[in-house]
Amino acid sequence: MLNAQDGRSKFFNYPEARPGPDIPFQNERKHSPAMRGLQLVLGALLVEWLGFIRTWLWHNAGLGDLRQIRQYLDTYEPRFDPTVIPITNQEVSTDSNDLDDVISSSRSPTEAQTETPKYYSAADYHTLYASGELTPTAVAQSILPLIRRDTSPCGEHSIAWLNSRVDVILAAASASTLRYKEDRPLSIIDGVPMAVKDEYDVEGYETCLGSRNNYTSEAAGEQSITSWSVRKLEEAGAINFGKLSMHEFGLDTSNNNPNYGTPLNPFNKRYYTGGSSGGCAYAVSTGLIPIALGSDGGGSIRIPASFCSVYGLKPSHGRISYKPGINHFDTCSVNGPLAADMGSLSAAYSIIGAPDPACPSSSLFAAPLPARLAPSPSREKTEGILGIPQAWLSRSTPAIQRLCHSLLDRLVALHNYTIIPITIPFLPEGQTAHAMTMLCHAATATPDTRNVTAANKILISVGMVTPSTDFILAQKLRQLLMQHLADLWRKHPGMIIVTPTTPCAGWHITNPAVDLKYGISDGDQTLATMEYVWLANFAGLPSLTIPAGFVRPEGVEGKGEEADDKMDGKIPVGLMGTGEWGSEDRLLQWGAEADAAGADRRSRPPIWVDVVARAREEMQRNQDESDKEGGSAVRRRK
């Protein structure tokens, strides 16, 4: 396996391996008061119209603090694009997996239900379809009444969906049902239900980015506007159940959306799902779909996946094509999957990660290795390296630290991983640089804030006053961090950096009646949720979150302490691994091992939907109606 230094000649745009300054970790961030209700609305109007308030907020948020470390940045060139592309395949080798191998290595739903609480996977649906026990049509008919907004009353889970085209969904399900009947499924995900964040263009749907505005791309000639990732899943037979809720413009991590309503955390209704791909996490966590497509510019896949106890992958920067649309946050944001299990996550990634000839960066990446939906019991131990930035990790609550360390201990015992301490300089300043960069993107993409929620008026207005010199300092710091990380991988080839996904247990809704109506602006909580996730976005690294357990919620004795799976209202916690550029396949292997080691830490939320049981009932009803009609026809002939 090539290490980072040797690998420079095997990569395109690999950073120079250069250690950063030896600076002790310290985080002395200024406090930002939360704003809610009418205070938020009035404050947004003042910020929008009075420039001196915008400037004061910019400084109070610490966005000017990079000037204090300028002497360390002077010898670094600014780096605007974190894309690093492996020229040769340096992934961990795995067994090939054709369709039969995948199915034979997967458990049946019946077997799985007798073990730990389980979500239905892509492999489960495929097995049930292939056996004739279920059909994609029955699954579609069982899901649609739960998610439709255009019925009266609305579906029980419609809060997570912005729109679903019933005719298109049923037509796709009928076509998939016929393929299975004729024994010619397109792939492991043929007929599998999925849905997409309202950031993806899809033919026949509006793209609103969670806002009241229409940002749907215009088709070029006869070309479809459907995004690459959606098109690849649909070509593999997956059934798109429509557009999912998101935080407006993806600009915060709660998924609070006054425009369309806010889906609440499936485990506890007094908590947010996390965002900005919160509708995706809700839909997967409740069992409605095993795969969703989200996007991640600052943890927007991994935070909601962690808060809702599902799986989320932020791929390497530039690997997943945005075409034919554009990436409005193109120096930090990527598209990627959320899923109910590691196998489904890997399957979705292996499909959407196919190189897109129309995308300059995606076309240069090698195709992902074929997904294996269940780990081979005969695979040798890994003997890999896990890097732990302990000073940074200590920012988490004690219970979250204990949950993550105990899971790591199991990994060491089961797979011969070696844990090593690592340090990364300027982490608080790096988070500031990332935030500044994202706000500048937002201000550039949305110069007119008249039809924008109050909280985002503030964020975008603050982004508008960023001096160009400070923006350049942020990109110099990006270069410093990427070079330091390259040096770590030169010293420790194959290392995975491990932290909690977030240092806090969820995001509690302080005042539902007010916050869900007007929105919320809470800079301290936003930055807390992004404590660890931003680095992968800013440096362009692949990063994966898996469930790690639960803690007690606000309002109960022992809040914040570890909770068992029997406790009502428990709050999920995630463990995150971040790998070297282009190392998704190795990272997914680590995720499968960590997931197996912590299998007893999973639990379904109280509102989980048994789609398979509903589909079986749907098939039985259809059969009964068919039998009844057949009997009536016989009687008429007599």
Side-chain angles (χ1 to χ4, degrees):
M1 212 276 296
L2 296 173
N3 67 29
Q5 183 172 348
D6 294 333
R8 283 204 301 265
S9 62
K10 302 296 184 181
F11 284 81
F12 176 71
N13 271 350
Y14 199 90
E16 175 188 352
R18 174 185 174 188
D22 184 13
I23 303 294
F25 178 86
Q26 55 182 349
N27 193 326
E28 299 175 352
R29 197 182 306 278
K30 297 176 182 178
H31 169 65
S32 296
M35 299 178 68
R36 51 176 39 90
L38 293 178
Q39 177 195 42
L40 173 62
V41 174
L42 294 174
L45 291 174
L46 292 174
V47 171
E48 192 174 26
W49 291 106
L50 299 178
F52 74 91
I53 296 181
R54 294 197 294 270
T55 302
W56 179 85
L57 286 174
W58 188 89
H59 284 283
N60 187 69
L63 295 175
D65 289 353
L66 299 187
R67 301 170 189 177
Q68 299 175 15
I69 62 168
R70 186 168 192 153
Q71 69 271 27
Y72 297 104
L73 303 178
D74 283 343
T75 59
Y76 290 86
E77 296 178 346
R79 177 155 184 164
F80 301 94
D81 184 358
T83 303
V84 177
I85 301 172
I87 301 302
T88 58
N89 183 11
Q90 59 165 345
E91 305 289 359
V92 173
S93 62
T94 62
D95 298 332
S96 63
N97 78 319
D98 58 24
L99 198 58
D100 292 334
D101 289 339
V102 169
I103 300 307
S104 65
S105 67
S106 302
R107 302 173 298 174
S108 73
T110 301
E111 294 168 338
Q113 295 298 343
T114 63
E115 302 171 12
T116 56
K118 174 170 165 52
Y119 286 75
Y120 295 115
S121 67
D124 292 332
Y125 279 104
H126 179 87
T127 301
L128 290 165
Y129 295 156
S131 69
E133 291 184 60
L134 286 187
T135 66
T137 295
V139 169
Q141 291 171 337
S142 70
I143 294 174
L144 281 170
L146 300 174
I147 67 173
R148 292 180 63 179
R149 282 183 176 243
D150 61 346
T151 58
S152 183
C154 296
E156 180 182 351
H157 299 283
S158 61
I159 191 70
W161 262 264
L162 300 186
N163 192 14
S164 296
R165 292 195 59 191
V166 176
D167 56 337
V168 174
I169 293 166
L170 290 177
S174 178
S176 179
T177 297
L178 180 60
R179 289 193 294 271
Y180 275 102
K181 184 177 180 180
E182 296 176 350
D183 195 25
R184 53 180 184 87
L186 297 174
S187 76
I188 185 69
I189 67 166
D190 197 344
V192 172
M194 64 95 171
V196 306
K197 185 179 183 179
D198 184 34
E199 194 169 324
Y200 289 78
D201 280 326
V202 180
E203 201 70 45
Y205 288 88
E206 287 187 353
T207 300
C208 300
L209 307 179
S211 75
R212 291 294 185 184
N213 306 324
N214 186 349
Y215 297 99
T216 310
S217 299
E218 294 185 8
E222 299 298 319
Q223 183 182 20
S224 169
I225 66 169
T226 299
S227 296
W228 171 262
S229 298
V230 181
R231 178 156 62 89
K232 297 308 292 182
L233 289 178
E234 289 181 341
E235 288 174 353
I239 301 172
N240 180 13
F241 277 74
K243 290 291 195 82
L244 293 166
S245 165
M246 63 178 287
H247 201 107
E248 186 184 59
F249 303 135
L251 284 183
D252 209 339
T253 61
S254 67
N255 214 68
N256 180 308
N257 190 313
N259 294 323
Y260 299 101
T262 301
L264 305 178
N265 193 296
F267 286 89
N268 189 319
K269 293 182 179 181
R270 285 300 301 268
Y271 281 75
Y272 291 112
T273 58
S276 62
S277 305
C280 298
Y282 178 98
V284 173
S285 181
T286 53
L288 291 164
I289 54 176
I291 295 170
L293 290 181
S295 63
D296 194 316
S300 289
I301 286 174
R302 291 161 290 156
I303 291 170
S306 173
F307 284 2
C308 294
S309 195
V310 297
Y311 302 79
L313 174 67
K314 179 250 170 228
S316 297
H317 195 85
R319 182 187 276 278
I320 309 298
S321 174
Y322 270 73
K323 297 295 183 181
I326 64 171
N327 183 352
H328 293 284
F329 297 81
D330 67 321
T331 73
C332 294
S333 188
V334 299
N335 288 337
L338 297 85
D341 64 290
M342 277 301 303
S344 300
L345 188 78
S346 299
Y349 163 70
S350 68
I351 293 170
I352 68 174
D356 178 4
C359 177
S361 60
S362 170
S363 62
L364 297 178
F365 279 90
L369 295 175
R372 186 171 188 86
L373 298 193
S376 170
S378 61
R379 193 179 59 75
E380 294 181 357
K381 291 187 175 182
T382 303
E383 298 183 353
I385 298 173
L386 304 179
I388 309 296
Q390 186 55 50
W392 196 22
L393 192 147
S394 65
R395 296 274 295 170
S396 293
T397 68
I400 290 177
Q401 291 185 57
R402 290 192 295 268
L403 283 170
C404 292
H405 277 301
S406 62
L407 187 50
L408 290 176
D409 290 342
R410 293 187 189 181
L411 271 176
V412 170
L414 291 171
H415 296 287
N416 281 0
Y417 279 103
T418 299
I419 293 179
I420 63 168
I422 62 170
T423 59
I424 303 172
F426 300 128
L427 288 168
E429 294 83 358
Q431 186 175 10
T432 296
H434 168 263
M436 184 194 305
T437 302
M438 292 294 286
L439 290 176
C440 288
H441 279 305
T444 303
T446 317
D448 185 352
T449 60
R450 285 175 295 181
N451 199 29
V452 174
T453 56
N456 277 344
K457 284 180 186 288
I458 294 174
L459 289 174
I460 294 169
S461 296
V462 169
M464 288 178 177
V465 299
T466 300
S468 58
T469 51
D470 289 272
F471 181 81
I472 295 298
L473 287 177
Q475 311 320 309
K476 283 174 168 280
L477 182 51
R478 189 202 300 257
Q479 180 80 277
L480 183 155
L481 289 167
M482 291 181 69
Q483 291 187 3
H484 182 85
L485 290 165
D487 183 66
L488 286 176
W489 276 301
R490 176 182 62 82
K491 297 171 181 174
H492 311 293
M495 176 186 65
I496 294 172
I497 300 171
V498 181
T499 65
T501 310
T502 68
C504 52
W507 185 330
H508 184 250
I509 305 173
T510 303
N511 188 338
V514 173
D515 295 354
L516 299 181
K517 180 178 180 179
Y518 295 101
I520 177 70
S521 177
D522 188 343
D524 289 350
Q525 184 65 20
T526 298
L527 290 173
T529 60
M530 296 173 66
E531 176 79 33
Y532 304 119
V533 294
W534 65 269
L535 179 62
N537 297 98
F538 205 44
L541 306 168
S543 188
L544 168 71
T545 181
I546 67 166
F550 299 89
V551 298
R552 294 173 172 268
E554 293 280 342
V556 303
E557 184 179 354
K559 68 176 182 179
E561 295 299 309
E562 295 95 321
D564 61 38
D565 59 0
K566 303 294 192 298
M567 182 175 190
D568 294 334
K570 57 187 175 295
I571 305 303
V573 170
L575 180 71
M576 185 173 70
T578 300
E580 188 180 16
W581 299 276
S583 65
E584 283 88 345
D585 294 312
R586 183 183 307 109
L587 194 61
L588 289 167
Q589 176 181 300
W590 169 83
E593 292 163 354
D595 183 45
D600 59 331
R601 301 184 178 198
R602 286 217 74 189
S603 177
R604 296 188 298 238
I607 61 171
W608 183 79
V609 178
D610 193 332
V611 171
V612 168
R614 287 177 59 90
R616 285 187 171 127
E617 292 171 0
E618 184 70 29
M619 290 185 69
Q620 186 61 53
R621 278 194 299 271
N622 292 340
Q623 184 61 51
D624 292 344
E625 290 176 4
S626 178
D627 292 344
K628 184 177 180 180
E629 292 175 1
S632 298
V634 170
R635 286 192 294 273
R636 285 196 298 270
R637 285 197 297 271
K638 290 181 178 179

